[in-house]
Amino acid sequence: MQNARDLKQYKGELTGALNNDFLRTAMDNFAIAYRASRANAFKGMDVDGLIAEIARGKDDAMSRMDELLEQFTSKAQALGITVHVAKTAQEANEIIGRIAQKAGVKRIIKSKSMTAEETLLNHHLEDLDLEVTETDLGEWIIQLRHEGPTHMVMPAIHLSRNQVADLFSEVTGTKQEVDIQKLVKVARRELRRKFVEADMGISGGNFAIAETGTIALCTNEGNARLVTTLPRVHVALVGLDKLTPTMGDALRVIKALPRNATGQAITSYVSWITGPGECHSSPDGKKEMHVVFLDNGRRALAKDPVFAPVLRCIRCGACANVCPVYRLVGGHQLGHIYIGAIGLILTYFYHGREKAKNLVQNCINCGACKAVCAGGIDLPKLIKEVHARIQDEEGHPLQSQLLGKVLKSRKLFHALLRSAKAVQRPITGGTPYLRHLPMIFAKDQNFRALPAIAETPFRDRFAALKPRVSSPRLKVALFSGCVQDFVYPEQAEAAVKILAKHNVDVSFPMDQSCCGLPVQMMGERDASRSVAAQNVNAFDPAACDYILTLCASCASHLKHGYPDILAGDRKLDVKVRQFADRVIDFSSFVHDVLKVTPEEFHGDGKKVTYHSPCHLCRGLNVTQAPRELMATGGMDYLPADEEDVCCGFGGTYSMKFPELSAELLKKKLANVEKTGAELLLTDCPGCIMQLRGGLEAKGSSVKVGHIAEALAERLK
């Protein structure tokens, strides 16, 4: 749970998690195994089509939330179920407490329920002097440790068998062996008595099916069936977002839920509970059954035009499974109650901004969560929106305000970059790197060498570089972004060289500036809109066939971010869509449009490997073009492990969370060096800054370049 007062304290907690070697190893092993398991589980299926169907179905259900609630209530009451609706978490707890007291309950057993975690139900019931026992193995372990779950599906994934053996030894008063099967037997023995003695069973519910009044549970342990059948009272605590129109809608979600959660085709148990069953311990031979629906902000979310999609979440936990930050620090530091990307958003709505304000800053914006979300939720976008809302409510940090003001004025921004070039000589030591930064600027940044500003920006070189084309095959407007304009102009030069070879007319609008992604990431929405408008106005989409950029992050932001950022701007509504339609990344343009061939290059067979930028492979869904270009250019491509995992740059993220950035970079470079490649290529100048700086700092012989440079060097 999040109790850090401020970002400084939160960072201290992150450092503690980073120093937990077992946690890091466990998270790594799981993340690697999960990718293969998920891919195998979905093999042969139309995953994108299934996700789109789930999204449409959930959107439709949430738009009819009250209608489905009324239908469920009518069906359930006819079956003998008592239905309650709680507006708040506290009200839900009180309802369940009253049910227990009225029924003379003393002992309660529970199956896993994230909704019960959300309301802190156990604490309330224990305050009523009721004995509450979690019966899911992982939940029981963390209950004994007085912790919350570190994952929505695998709550105790952060613990080692040694820790569990020590815990069980303390609980039983007998030394337990460090053997998983024997520890499971200990849990069964200890819990069996609890099942038999319990007066009440509390479950969650994956679905509340309106057409039949059915509660459905998907589990991998038999405990949920015991919880819902043995005690004389059964209470299902269910969020209003679990209302599902029909059995068919539920079955559609079940196609994705286990596959996305754990790589299983189906969970061990899928239980459908339609009304109370027989119960011989009850006076009338009938079980007492209640369904408590929790609102706690869900109705408001369903009507929110921006955040309604979060109610599509099926609680599979996949967003945590693939998150590089979660992999480093675990769920206790990347969540409050709900974990992972969805948890960063839900924390704000269910538990307040104090719990969310630090968490939402710890998103590196790699898009891995969005790519695997079974509900098709644009999680990174919504995390940034929460961050922006919190800053609007609490005030904006000085650093982000200043950057916003600078980027809103292109002339000021560029003047500052030119001034920086003029004064950097004492700290470069005659190298392309900032070697002697004052400690106030270099704090925690020694894991990489930072680049110097180029002697001459690309914009000042362009007039001499512009191809003289009389009958152009294509017209291209080049968007450089600030890094290739002022730090790595040689990358843009390489692109122009290739374009000239193919009779392409190239223009470079001088009023263009930074793409604005840094201020978007920092929650400065006004500055982000201003920068987007500047750049859209700088280009004339009607005068070019393509707007080409060599930066994957810029390309994704220009193509997908700008239409959203400038939505509702009547002056730019049409133009921004024309602009976005013409945006293309370098590798796609050269591979798919120019269709370069091996005959155009002097192949040297150089051993190269590749880092797939997050915003290229996921933001733009470009994966094969750059890899095929390396072969076309006559290079020997050696695949690296986890090429599409974030390098740790994340723009301003690496400055705010340098320890996490450094660890992500360390893993990436280890995978690169393991290939034996001499050259590491990528399609993003930000990634180059991170990767080249890291290899330079560790004294590696591996060189780093843009794929445009590698191709230009080998042109005949």
Side-chain angles (χ1 to χ4, degrees), residues 103-114:
V105 167
K106 298 296 182 184
R107 298 180 181 89
I108 298 172
I109 52 175
K110 290 177 72 250
S111 63
K112 186 191 301 178
S113 167
M114 284 305 301

Side-chain angles (χ1 to χ4, degrees), residues 66-233:
D66 288 329
E67 175 192 330
L68 293 177
L69 175 61
E70 184 178 349
Q71 184 182 4
F72 180 94
T73 302
S74 175
K75 293 289 185 180
Q77 288 176 341
L79 293 166
I81 301 171
T82 303
V83 178
H84 313 258
V85 180
K87 290 184 178 179
T88 66
Q90 182 60 29
E91 186 178 346
N93 291 344
E94 290 172 355
I95 289 169
I96 296 171
R98 286 195 298 269
I99 293 169
Q101 290 173 327
K102 185 178 179 181
V105 167
K106 298 296 182 184
R107 298 180 181 89
I108 298 172
I109 52 175
K110 290 177 72 250
S111 63
K112 186 191 301 178
S113 167
M114 284 305 301
T115 312
E117 295 284 354
E118 176 186 334
T119 68
L120 301 178
L121 176 60
N122 288 8
H123 298 289
H124 179 79
L125 296 177
E126 287 166 352
D127 287 344
L128 297 176
D129 293 326
L130 297 171
E131 179 188 294
V132 184
T133 304
E134 296 284 354
T135 62
D136 172 88
L137 178 57
E139 289 284 347
W140 186 54
I141 289 169
I142 63 171
Q143 181 187 28
L144 294 174
R145 286 173 57 90
H146 306 290
E147 294 178 344
T150 192
H151 190 282
M152 287 196 286
V153 177
M154 297 158 287
I157 192 175
H158 60 300
L159 298 174
S160 70
R161 66 185 71 185
N162 299 80
Q163 289 172 294
V164 175
D166 290 343
L167 177 67
F168 283 8
S169 297
E170 182 182 336
V171 169
T172 62
T174 304
K175 179 67 176 177
Q176 301 297 335
E177 294 182 45
V178 185
D179 179 280
I180 291 177
Q181 294 304 317
K182 290 181 179 179
L183 292 171
V184 170
K185 287 182 179 179
V186 171
R188 284 178 180 158
R189 185 181 66 242
E190 293 295 315
L191 290 172
R192 195 163 291 158
R193 177 172 53 85
K194 303 292 186 182
F195 285 119
V196 174
E197 294 176 347
D199 307 300
M200 175 188 280
I202 299 176
S203 73
N206 293 93
F207 309 97
I209 300 171
E211 71 171 354
T212 58
T214 300
I215 294 294
L217 294 163
C218 301
T219 62
N220 277 321
E221 298 177 27
N223 65 302
R225 288 191 173 177
L226 294 171
V227 165
T228 57
T229 56
L230 285 179
R232 55 189 170 84
V233 182

Side-chain angles (χ1 to χ4, degrees), residues 16 100 172 201 220 250 344-345 348 360 412 440 504-505 530 544 608 635 661 674:
T172 62
N220 277 321
L344 270 57
I345 302 164
Y348 173 73
V360 293
L412 173 61
I440 189 172
V504 175
D505 180 59
S530 176
C544 63
V608 301
M635 293 165 269
S661 177
K674 193 165 67 174

Side-chain angles (χ1 to χ4, degrees), residues 497-517:
K497 183 179 178 181
I498 293 169
L499 298 178
K501 189 83 172 178
H502 283 263
N503 203 36
V504 175
D505 180 59
V506 184
S507 62
F508 183 81
M510 290 294 170
D511 287 342
Q512 65 177 281
S513 187
C514 171
C515 71
L517 184 56

Side-chain angles (χ1 to χ4, degrees), residues 471-488:
S471 300
R473 171 185 172 187
L474 292 166
K475 292 183 179 181
V476 165
L478 189 61
F479 182 89
S480 67
C482 48
V483 177
Q484 282 172 334
D485 195 351
F486 285 89
V487 180
Y488 299 132

Side-chain angles (χ1 to χ4, degrees), residues 8 38 43 58 109 134 172 184 213 232 272 312 415 536 559 602 636 667 709:
K8 182 178 180 180
R38 180 183 184 272
K43 190 174 182 180
K58 292 286 282 184
I109 52 175
E134 296 284 354
T172 62
V184 170
R232 55 189 170 84
W272 309 89
R312 298 176 190 165
V536 170
K559 194 169 191 68
H602 293 290
D636 182 12
K667 289 182 183 180
E709 295 174 288

Side-chain angles (χ1 to χ4, degrees), residues 347-348 351-358 389-390 393-394:
T347 297
Y348 173 73
H351 298 102
R353 70 169 177 258
E354 278 301 309
K355 302 296 185 185
K357 65 180 182 182
N358 299 316
R389 286 193 182 188
I390 290 174
E393 292 163 1
E394 290 200 333

